[in-house]
Amino acid sequence: MNHEEHVVIERFERGWLVFGIGMIVVFVVLIAYTMANFGGSIPVGTQRIDPTKVRSEGEFANPRIEQIGNEYVAYVQAFAFGYLPAEMRVKKDRKVTFYVTSPDVQHGFMIERTNINVQVIPGEVARVSHTFRKAGEYQIICNEYCGLGHANMISKIVVEE
Amino acid sequence: MAVIPLSKVDAYAGHPEKKLTLYMLMLGFAALLLGTFFGPLQSFNYGGLDLYPYLKPLIQSYYQGLSLHGVLNAIVFTQLMAQALLVYFPARELGYRPNMALAWVSWWMALVGLLIAAIPLLLNAASVLYTFYAPLKAHWAFYVGAAIFVLSSWVSAYLVLQMWLRFKRENPGKITPLVTYMSLIHWLMWFLASLGLVVEVAFFLIPWSFGWIEGVDPLLMRTLFWYTGHPIVYFWLLPAYVVAYTILPKLAGGKLISDPLARLAFLLFLLFSIPVGFHHQFADPGIAPGWKFIHTVLTMMVAVPSLMTAFTLAASLENAGRARGGKGLLGWIRALPWNNPSVLALLLGLIAFIPGGAGGIVNASFTLNQAVHNTTWIPGHFHLQVATLVTMAVMGTAFWLIPHLTGKPLVRPGLAWASMWLWFIGMFIMTFTLHWMGFLWGIPRRAHIAESPAAMEAYRESAAWMVMNIVSGIILLVAAVMFFYVIFATALQARRDFSEHQEIPFAEAISKPEGNSLALMTERVGFWFGVAVVLILVAYGPVLFQMFTNMNPVPGMRLW
């Protein structure tokens, strides 16, 4: 390789790295933008609790979805191997806030066709919210291995007009 | 018999480290053989075909098979390959013999740890998958065996450190040769990275499994696991990069374009491999979004050395292709020695790494990750990286390294060549399918769906794609049978011929490190190690401090 080729290669490499790092900057800016504007679907921890008492004490002893004004609030137990309440119903275009925890091992709480995707960890209460814009049935899927019945751990939320 | 085989004494005369390397390599391939057997069963499961009932009573469940697959392939095989290659290559580059007593200690530790952990795995007492998330609690032997196995890697790290220090002492002011530099950085990175796993297992999971402590904090366990769990992928990847930078150009008939840039890429891996683990915990409650964003940015930074690598390798391969008479814009690609199975394996692996890296950017993007977290997209992603590039780099290396170590010529090179094509095609079909199923339909990873009518009903929209999983599983099974036949038939034959394969094909560099300011800067290893520690303290310190001082212990359970 002669000197001239060497210079050409170095120029190409600078160009490639400038392009690559430029793309990374664009990605980071877009991530920050989505965080600021669509942050509701990011799981946030609201409190730490004793998982052995989830079934007997506090909000999660009474798993439910309730309407408060124009919005819904749901207290969901993800347990081996199912969810409580077993089925939820909401009206479309209303904000739904889910509080999710586990009385036993780790689980997933993913609602198909939405950005709701929570790692449910015993001892932690996670909060996420979502507004369903389309009526229909949405499956809730456990996507963390939790034991032999893991694949059966599917529930649903029905969104009505 | 007219042929008088050379005795083993002759075979390893003067180079006892060859025997050690061979033992590491073959132990790794034995683990891979068993672990890989379960791979197609996983593929069939995601095609709705459940073969696990036929394995009873040997294997109790899909999750036991999946645990064996993950532990043997991703933890055992990969570590043994690093211990084989990245102790031997620097030793031969420097012309030193590693401390052989310690080297054998590392092999025996790996073997004993592996056997101790294998017992509960094979008895279905540790079906906790390779992430072993608390509060699922395995038998204590699983954690003890895993700890001994992982600690054997520290011995390998020490061997390389020892050889490097000897080089610096005997050659003051000289720049470390490239392979030794890369190996040293790899082991230093791994030492820092493995601390999370070691603390998790030694201080929490082992006492917990013995019943000495009542519970462990699942969030803290996850955090310690992923502190190690992301850099572990660079621990797997960097041996493949060492081969791609320092051996592939020579095998392809060319030279490495730039030695100093290769050093810089590795140095960046030392800095940015570790403080990124929260990108596996984007969906976790209990870690503030601000910290997750910091780890997002640092994860993006670790793409930079891979971008540099892509350029340098492509340029080096172009150099090789043109040296072989390739003309025109793309003619050099055709001119590369595609018929050499060792070169083919790496070229195909590197091609797979391009979509693999792009998918990695998606996973690393905090908010985008919500769409793919814990879906089949994730195993789709890492099978492009570790099961295609990393594994194929090792496979391709074994095709010349086993003959080099033993003097036994490669058996059936044509079969070796064909196995690499089939492996690549099978992996491409499988990973593409898994990406699609995870992203479009949210199919969960690690789920025994073929056994569950509810799941098959829920995921019926992806039925057409499921067929592709079965196809890929069959292709990969055939590829694996061919590959393992070549490897074991080569290693177990009696014929030895020392007329070839005497030297390791290290490539020459065009841009050399001597007098290069960049190379001199990267040579300050101690300083950069300190910078890496500071970055980790900044990115992890406050969160870990808070978790350690505010634990929420949970009792263990066995639900399999």
Side-chain angles (χ1 to χ4, degrees), chain B residues 129-203:
Chain B
L129 311 188
Y130 82 97
T131 44
F132 45 88
Y133 288 145
L136 288 175
K137 184 156 100 176
H139 190 276
W140 60 263
F142 174 71
Y143 303 117
V144 169
I148 296 171
F149 181 82
V150 169
L151 286 178
S152 89
S153 72
W154 286 12
V155 181
S156 298
Y158 179 73
L159 293 173
V160 174
L161 183 67
Q162 217 177 20
M163 289 192 288
W164 177 69
L165 289 172
R166 179 177 156 199
F167 173 84
K168 293 306 266 187
R169 200 168 53 239
E170 293 175 356
N171 301 277
K174 263 200 170 172
I175 288 190
T176 310
L178 182 59
V179 175
T180 306
Y181 183 81
M182 290 172 149
S183 306
L184 176 73
I185 294 292
H186 168 265
W187 287 115
L188 290 176
M189 187 281 285
W190 173 242
F191 172 72
L192 277 180
S194 59
L195 289 170
L197 195 63
V198 169
V199 169
E200 179 193 6
V201 173
F203 294 114

Side-chain angles (χ1 to χ4, degrees), chain B residues 3-329:
Chain B
V3 179
I4 301 165
L6 286 157
S7 73
K8 283 184 181 142
V9 180
D10 295 326
Y12 304 114
H15 289 296
E17 68 275 16
K18 279 190 171 181
K19 187 175 174 185
L20 173 91
T21 307
L22 183 70
Y23 274 51
M24 285 285 187
L25 211 56
M26 296 317 289
L27 184 59
F29 280 129
L32 186 70
L33 175 67
L34 182 58
T36 297
F37 169 74
F38 293 97
L41 297 178
Q42 254 83 254
S43 284
F44 297 158
N45 168 60
Y46 276 96
L49 177 62
D50 186 17
L51 295 186
Y52 274 93
Y54 302 103
L55 295 179
K56 278 181 183 169
L58 224 53
I59 297 294
Q60 297 297 325
S61 77
Y62 170 84
Y63 301 104
Q64 187 189 0
L66 186 55
S67 298
L68 281 160
H69 180 71
V71 171
L72 291 175
N73 288 10
I75 296 179
V76 175
F77 167 69
T78 46
Q79 180 184 312
L80 286 167
M81 290 306 122
Q83 290 179 290
L85 304 183
L86 295 198
V87 176
Y88 184 66
F89 289 166
R92 294 307 301 269
E93 186 190 43
L94 295 172
Y96 291 167
R97 180 176 300 171
N99 181 329
M100 288 311 296
L102 272 182
W104 282 109
V105 167
S106 71
W107 189 80
W108 281 104
M109 281 176 74
L111 178 69
V112 169
L114 175 56
L115 291 178
I116 293 176
I119 294 167
L121 277 168
L122 291 170
L123 296 178
N124 195 30
S127 300
V128 289
L129 311 188
Y130 82 97
T131 44
F132 45 88
Y133 288 145
L136 288 175
K137 184 156 100 176
H139 190 276
W140 60 263
F142 174 71
Y143 303 117
V144 169
I148 296 171
F149 181 82
V150 169
L151 286 178
S152 89
S153 72
W154 286 12
V155 181
S156 298
Y158 179 73
L159 293 173
V160 174
L161 183 67
Q162 217 177 20
M163 289 192 288
W164 177 69
L165 289 172
R166 179 177 156 199
F167 173 84
K168 293 306 266 187
R169 200 168 53 239
E170 293 175 356
N171 301 277
K174 263 200 170 172
I175 288 190
T176 310
L178 182 59
V179 175
T180 306
Y181 183 81
M182 290 172 149
S183 306
L184 176 73
I185 294 292
H186 168 265
W187 287 115
L188 290 176
M189 187 281 285
W190 173 242
F191 172 72
L192 277 180
S194 59
L195 289 170
L197 195 63
V198 169
V199 169
E200 179 193 6
V201 173
F203 294 114
F204 294 98
L205 298 184
I206 288 177
W208 182 53
S209 64
F210 278 118
W212 300 335
I213 55 175
E214 280 294 304
V216 293
D217 182 329
L219 179 63
L220 176 60
M221 295 305 101
R222 279 178 69 80
T223 306
L224 289 172
F225 182 85
W226 287 115
Y227 169 97
T228 301
H230 194 72
I232 205 174
V233 309
Y234 301 108
F235 177 60
W236 305 336
L237 177 64
L238 295 189
Y241 272 16
V242 169
V243 174
Y245 269 109
T246 66
I247 292 171
L248 175 64
K250 173 90 168 184
L251 291 177
K255 294 176 178 175
L256 172 64
I257 290 294
S258 172
D259 168 305
L261 278 172
R263 289 169 197 267
L264 178 63
F266 269 62
L267 182 64
L268 291 174
F269 279 118
L270 173 64
L271 298 181
F272 293 115
S273 290
I274 303 169
V276 298
F278 289 169
H279 77 233
H280 291 257
Q281 299 179 276
F282 283 150
D284 287 22
I287 299 172
W291 285 107
K292 293 175 180 172
F293 183 72
I294 290 171
H295 280 229
T296 300
V297 176
L298 289 166
T299 310
M300 294 291 176
M301 298 297 291
V302 85
V304 172
S306 280
L307 288 170
M308 292 169 56
T309 300
F311 185 93
T312 308
L313 292 186
S316 301
L317 288 170
E318 181 176 351
N319 173 267
R322 295 204 185 283
R324 297 170 63 89
K327 299 260 181 294
L329 189 61

